[in-house]
Amino acid sequence: MSRFLVTGSSDGIGAGIAAELESRGHAVVRHARDEAKAARLRAAGADDVVVGDLASLASTRAMAADLSARPPFDVVVHNAGWLPPEGERPVTGDGLERTFQVNALSAYLLTALLPLPSRLVYVSSNSIRRGRIDLDDLQHEANWTSDSAYAGSKLAMTAIAFAAARRYPAVLCNAVHPGWIRTKMSGDVAPLDVAAGADTPVWLATSDDPEATVTGTFFHERRVVRLNEQAYDPATQDALVERCAALTGVALPAA
Ligand SMILES: NC(=O)c1ccc[n+]([C@@H]2O[C@H](COP(=O)([O-])OP(=O)(O)OC[C@H]3O[C@@H](n4cnc5c(N)ncnc54)[C@H](OP(=O)(O)O)[C@@H]3O)[C@@H](O)[C@H]2O)c1
């Protein structure tokens, strides 16, 4: 039995990942945005639930402190994510563009604050194909659209995953597109269910197949895909990590 943390596991693909891991006898700490959602998870039988709003740096730090007081994790799955509605550029109480904060910066902060596990899985998206990391405008102050913010944030999350892979050679750090999955994010038009969306993340989190025990790689349906070269560029990764450190006040620790 191994210990797993799955962020954003109150709903959608994260709930599917947690359920699959639990069905294999693993210990899973689930994560909910607030106490009401955590209470629903506990009432449904979840043994251990952590609460944290990833749109708040203080709440994300408190969540990391709460988790650090527990036994360390073998695997952390960064699954939580948010797709903004079209309209106004959303800004959090920290003054940060919300999509970037929830999808990329919070994953950076949790990676930096939690003890290193042996595997890190980052649930990204094939939208990174059309994403761009603009180091001078990470938060899309110019020309914000829902799609550019979402794709850019998932690309930034992927570059953070690959930066972690370079920094922590003993840790398997990979990113994955889960597929187009029926959840509250994608709606009923999506063709696949959450079990299909959980398949590759769970495989990366658990399998000893040689194909799954690589690092710094992007997967879809258990196959390696290469969707955006910017994610693989060490200079972009390092500059992004520096920006995230400046925004959070927390450096990514040395190996
Ligand atoms: N569905 C797809 O077709 C698809 C495709 C590509 C990539 N993805 C990625 O897959 C991951 C899971 O998405 P999903 O489709 O399962 O979406 P979902 O059903 O909306 O679930 C997202 C999860 O993230 C949590 N979350 C969002 N904002 C949060 C915040 N501020 N603080 C804490 N938790 C927060 C949600 O909590 P609440 O329930 O409280 O909102 C929920 O548990 C995301 O990273 C997404 O980008 C999904």
Side-chain angles (χ1 to χ4, degrees):
M1 182 179 85
S2 300
R3 273 179 64 73
F4 293 78
L5 168 68
V6 183
T7 70
S9 43
S10 59
D11 205 352
I13 297 165
I17 294 169
E20 177 58 28
L21 292 168
E22 284 159 355
S23 77
R24 298 182 188 196
H26 295 299
V28 180
V29 174
R30 296 218 187 194
H31 160 234
R33 179 201 299 257
D34 58 32
E35 278 299 341
K37 287 182 178 173
R40 282 206 288 278
L41 285 177
R42 290 188 195 103
D47 289 336
D48 200 352
V49 185
V50 68
V51 173
D53 181 355
L54 303 180
S56 156
L57 290 176
S59 183
T60 307
R61 279 197 199 94
M63 171 179 163
D66 190 348
L67 291 167
S68 298
R70 303 175 197 208
F73 294 102
D74 298 294
V75 182
V76 175
V77 181
H78 292 283
N79 162 80
W82 185 66
L83 174 66
E86 283 299 351
E88 289 286 295
R89 176 177 172 272
V91 177
T92 67
D94 295 304
L96 300 168
E97 196 282 322
R98 184 184 177 105
T99 328
F100 173 74
Q101 181 165 358
V102 171
N103 293 350
L105 195 62
S106 72
Y108 166 85
L109 189 54
L110 290 174
T111 303
L113 290 176
L114 292 177
L116 272 182
S118 52
R119 297 189 191 201
L120 283 161
V121 179
Y122 295 81
V123 180
S124 179
S125 164
N126 66 354
S127 68
I128 69 168
R129 244 192 221 115
R130 52 183 188 276
R132 181 163 165 266
I133 297 169
D134 179 348
L135 291 163
D136 296 322
D137 188 15
L138 279 178
Q139 299 180 57
H140 296 259
E141 286 179 66
N143 303 320
W144 185 94
T145 65
S146 165
D147 188 62
S148 65
Y150 180 74
S153 71
K154 299 307 273 192
L155 182 60
M157 179 211 225
T158 306
I160 289 164
F162 295 167
R166 283 174 48 235
R167 187 169 300 224
Y168 308 125
V171 181
L172 302 181
C173 305
N174 291 300
V176 49
H177 168 56
W180 188 20
I181 309 298
R182 278 189 301 281
T183 63
K184 74 173 179 301
M185 181 181 287
S186 279
D188 285 343
V189 290
L192 300 171
D193 63 14
V194 291
D199 180 73
T200 305
V202 169
W203 176 71
L204 286 171
T206 58
S207 174
D208 290 326
D209 290 353
E211 293 83 358
T213 49
V214 296
T215 194
T217 305
F218 193 103
F219 288 87
H220 174 45
E221 293 179 341
R222 300 192 183 192
R223 284 194 301 272
V224 176
V225 288
R226 203 162 163 118
L227 301 179
N228 189 317
E229 288 310 306
Q230 219 187 355
Y232 299 88
D233 175 44
T236 302
Q237 293 166 11
D238 291 345
L240 176 62
V241 162
E242 252 178 52
R243 302 287 202 285
C244 291
L247 289 170
T248 58
V250 180
L252 205 57

